[in-house]
């Protein structure tokens, strides 16, 4: 288990929750959220951080948005709000990646419940506060409060990216910096 206070790319994975075609139009400031999420996922892959996604009832809500799909390594269909309740989900997660950074929708339902499920499974979930959305901003803020109440970590995407990079001497620094600046 990673005991360092800062993130290490080789101990992390990114989990994109339900960024689906039919759900996103209902989300507050969805276009900006979708753009940020795509940049975060792209940067994670540049830094060899596995990027997984969930799709809630994909036959009804549709697939992961096309802006994100090229940056996803693996997609898991689910019917529970908490992805950890899906048979085999936690067993299939990449080994030695105990830090699971979550982003997606809806912050107060599937993102929150999956984060709590990951913590109960012995993993260390962290919420990317600038990578989550809900229909109402008040629900997104309440989700962050609930994360804090349960002692779970909240950070921003830039915090994660620069911790993964460690130094501007990193071979992917310029590529990641260009993604950060494009937001």
């Amino acid at each position: 288990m990673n005991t360092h206070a800062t993130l290490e790319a080789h101990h992390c994975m990114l989990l994109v929750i339900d960024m689906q075609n039919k759900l996103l139009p209902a989300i507050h400031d969805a276009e900006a959220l979708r753009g940020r999420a795509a940049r975060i996922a792209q940067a994670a892959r540049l830094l060899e951080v596995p990027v997984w996604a969930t799709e809630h009832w994909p036959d009804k809500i549709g697939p992961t948005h096309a802006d994100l799909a090229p940056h996803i390594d693996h997609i898991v269909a689910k019917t529970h709000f908490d992805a950890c309740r899906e048979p085999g989900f936690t067993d299939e997660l990449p080994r030695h990646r105990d830090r699971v950074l979550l982003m997606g929708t809806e912050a107060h339902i599937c993102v929150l419940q999956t984060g709590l499920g990951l913590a109960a499974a012995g993993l260390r979930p962290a919420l990317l506060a600038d990578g989550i959305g809900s229909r109402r901003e008040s629900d997104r803020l309440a989700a962050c409060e609930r994360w804090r109440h349960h002692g779970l970590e909240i950070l921003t995407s830039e915090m994660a990216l620069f911790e993964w990079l460690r130094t501007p001497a990193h071979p992917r620094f310029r590529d990641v910096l260009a993604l950060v600046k494009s937001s």
Side-chain angles (χ1 to χ4, degrees):
M1 179 183 257
N2 178 10
T3 58
H4 296 283
T6 57
L7 301 174
E8 295 182 34
H10 64 277
H11 284 286
C12 293
M13 69 170 288
L14 179 64
L15 184 58
V16 181
I17 306 287
D18 306 346
M19 296 283 290
Q20 294 165 262
N21 289 335
K22 291 183 183 175
L23 179 57
L24 282 170
I27 301 301
H28 175 75
D29 205 14
E31 188 173 325
L33 173 63
R34 190 180 71 239
R36 279 192 306 276
R39 286 187 296 277
I40 295 165
Q42 187 176 359
R45 290 196 66 205
L46 286 171
L47 298 171
E48 299 180 9
V49 172
V51 180
W52 281 34
T54 64
E55 292 177 347
H56 191 77
W57 288 92
D59 55 327
K60 296 179 193 248
I61 304 176
T64 298
H65 193 279
D67 290 353
L68 290 158
H71 311 298
I72 305 294
D73 297 313
H74 182 69
I75 295 175
V76 177
K78 67 183 184 67
T79 58
H80 294 89
F81 299 123
D82 173 1
C84 297
R85 292 186 179 272
E86 298 300 324
F89 177 77
T90 54
D91 293 334
E92 294 174 16
L93 293 174
R95 295 284 168 240
H96 310 293
R97 302 280 179 161
D98 65 305
R99 301 294 304 265
V100 183
L101 282 65
L102 286 89
M103 65 179 184
T105 62
E106 284 197 60
H108 64 295
I109 303 171
C110 294
V111 177
L112 176 65
Q113 289 186 35
T114 299
L116 294 172
L118 290 167
L123 297 167
R124 297 173 59 203
L127 182 67
L128 293 178
D130 58 335
I132 56 170
S134 292
R135 294 171 197 267
R136 290 180 302 274
E137 181 63 6
S138 60
D139 287 327
R140 189 188 73 77
L141 294 172
C144 291
E145 255 326 289
R146 186 112 181 257
W147 273 75
R148 282 186 195 94
H149 173 77
H150 287 282
L152 300 176
E153 187 172 11
I154 300 174
L155 60 155
T156 68
S157 58
E158 282 195 33
M159 293 165 107
L161 296 176
F162 285 94
E163 287 178 29
W164 288 340
L165 285 166
R166 296 270 180 234
T167 173
H170 191 288
R172 292 301 210 167
F173 177 78
R174 290 190 185 275
D175 299 324
V176 172
L177 185 61
L179 288 169
V180 168
K181 287 182 174 182
S182 70
S183 60

